[in-house]
Amino acid sequence: MTTKTLLRIAAMLMLLHAGGHTIGALTWERAPTEKVAAVIRGMKSEHFDFMGKSLTLGSFFAGYGYSMIGVLILVSFALWLLSTAPDRKMTALFAVFLSFLGFCELIWFFPFAAAFSLTAALCTLLALIR
């Protein structure tokens, strides 16, 4: 496969990842059990002051989720643009970033999410080797 194809595969994987993450971010409050519902209520009801603002852990959780959607879309577009004019240093940077993201997802989230990032990292690494 060509460098262009590998980077575009990585871009599409990250766009799919963003789509899945969007679904998760928009539905995280739907509790599968009453115990989970109690945790979610607690996350949304206990306010604390942080940097001059009253927040909840639920607002942090939602905010990080929405922010990550933006990051994943940006990474997808950047990989697509990189495929049109590959640069070794930028490709290496994306390979490291996607590997880091994938391992974080594997440790703190779940394998399905990590598979997207780690496969995109592999495609980016292969594009770098070409």
Side-chain angles (χ1 to χ4, degrees):
M1 271 191 242
T2 66
T3 297
K4 182 177 187 173
T5 302
L6 288 164
L7 290 173
R8 288 196 172 182
I9 290 169
M12 293 310 295
L13 285 167
M14 295 313 292
L15 192 60
L16 288 170
H17 193 346
H21 199 278
T22 300
I23 291 168
L26 295 175
T27 61
W28 75 271
E29 295 178 49
R30 295 182 189 163
T33 67
E34 184 50 43
K35 287 184 179 183
V36 174
V39 171
I40 292 170
R41 281 192 300 274
M43 288 176 67
K44 293 172 64 178
S45 64
E46 283 299 314
H47 287 260
F48 58 94
D49 290 330
F50 183 75
M51 299 184 89
K53 194 170 182 182
S54 179
L55 300 168
T56 65
L57 285 177
S59 64
F60 269 100
F61 190 78
Y64 281 125
Y66 298 137
S67 297
M68 196 63 196
I69 293 166
V71 169
L72 293 171
I73 291 171
L74 177 66
V75 167
S76 179
F77 286 143
L79 284 165
W80 192 273
L81 290 172
L82 184 62
S83 76
T84 64
D87 176 82
R88 288 191 59 75
K89 289 179 184 175
M90 287 303 294
T91 304
L93 181 67
F94 274 101
V96 169
F97 171 75
L98 292 169
S99 297
F100 172 77
L101 181 63
F103 284 114
C104 286
E105 291 167 336
L106 193 58
I107 294 167
W108 289 293
F109 296 102
F110 49 95
F112 189 68
F116 282 95
S117 297
L118 292 173
T119 305
L122 179 62
C123 288
T124 307
L125 184 59
L126 289 172
L128 180 65
I129 293 169
R130 294 212 170 262

